[in-house]
């Protein structure tokens, strides 16, 4: 099994929940989705391989994973929420205002800001989502030629 999926399943167990075959299949499908998927698409992917797993089980497992801080829902424009993986503690997006392209980036220099805010509010941060909004390279070029 994928190391990332294994880590998430360990987290489920550490929090006192059972590692069921269904949860294993759902977490694997989630990791294979590269961490961006709607609940319905996830249910479809899981049920393609394991048709006996009900849609409700998939939704409930997503809820559990939200509670454990493994995923969180985000809304991009209209449509259903996407569930994104937060298992590394952070998730970072560049979002274009014009073409709505979402780009991922890994390197994060928000640590100092987070430390300061955490201290100020006596808040324990478990994960963060950083979204930077603006124009992508292509759209920026178009608007500078107009
Ligand atoms: Zn763009
Ligand atoms: Zn993302
Ligand atoms: Zn970060």
């Amino acid at each position: 099994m994928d190391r990332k999926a294994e880590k998430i399943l360990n987290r489920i167990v550490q929090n006192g929940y059972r590692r069921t075959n269904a949860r294993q299949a759902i977490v694997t499908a989630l990791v294979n989705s590269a961490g961006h998927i709607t609940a319905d698409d996830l249910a479809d992917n899981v049920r393609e391989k394991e048709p006996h797993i009900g849609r409700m089980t998939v939704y409930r497992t997503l809820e559990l994973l939200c509670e454990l801080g493994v995923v969180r829902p985000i809304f991009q424009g209209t449509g259903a929420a996407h569930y994104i993986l937060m298992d590394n503690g952070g998730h970072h997006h560049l979002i274009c205002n014009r073409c709505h392209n979402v780009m991922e980036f890994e390197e994060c220099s928000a640590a100092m800001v987070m430390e300061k805010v955490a201290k100020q509010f006596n808040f324990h941060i478990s994960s963060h989502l950083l979204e930077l909004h603006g124009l992508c390279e292509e759209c920026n070029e178009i608007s500078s030629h107009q």
Side-chain angles (χ1 to χ4, degrees):
M1 179 171 301
D2 189 280
R3 259 187 60 211
K4 212 169 182 176
E6 196 60 56
K7 236 175 92 184
I8 295 172
L9 286 160
N10 283 341
R11 190 121 120 209
I12 290 175
V13 172
Q14 277 158 17
N15 281 275
Y17 297 92
R18 278 186 310 129
R19 176 180 178 145
T20 61
N21 285 338
R23 283 179 181 149
Q24 201 162 296
I26 293 162
V27 166
T28 302
L30 187 67
V31 169
N32 288 343
S33 75
H36 264 264
I37 194 161
T38 65
D40 282 333
D41 286 347
L42 181 64
D44 288 344
N45 288 357
V46 169
R47 287 163 54 77
E48 221 169 81
K49 286 188 194 127
E50 318 252 4
H52 59 278
I53 298 174
R55 303 190 82 85
M56 277 314 290
T57 305
V58 177
Y59 301 149
R60 266 192 240 114
T61 302
L62 269 177
E63 251 169 59
L64 171 65
L65 292 173
C66 280
E67 214 178 286
L68 300 181
V70 174
V71 296
R72 58 156 289 162
I74 56 164
F75 297 88
Q76 285 166 347
T78 54
H82 275 218
Y83 286 83
I84 60 172
L85 278 171
M86 305 295 285
D87 58 318
N88 287 331
H91 198 113
H92 316 97
H93 285 160
L94 295 168
I95 302 174
C96 181
N97 291 337
R98 184 166 289 175
C99 69
H100 307 294
N101 200 6
V102 179
M103 285 159 280
E104 309 273 336
F105 65 97
E106 289 299 329
E107 69 271 31
C108 176
S109 41
M112 258 173 62
V113 179
M114 289 189 283
E115 215 172 282
K116 199 175 152 206
V117 174
K119 216 172 196 175
Q120 189 181 343
F121 290 92
N122 215 356
F123 189 86
H124 177 78
I125 297 172
S126 58
S127 66
H128 63 277
L129 169 67
L130 186 60
E131 292 196 324
L132 306 177
H133 299 264
L135 291 175
C136 72
E137 192 176 13
E138 236 165 80
C139 294
N140 200 22
E141 247 160 53
I142 294 166
S143 58
S144 66
H145 291 305
Q146 266 170 3

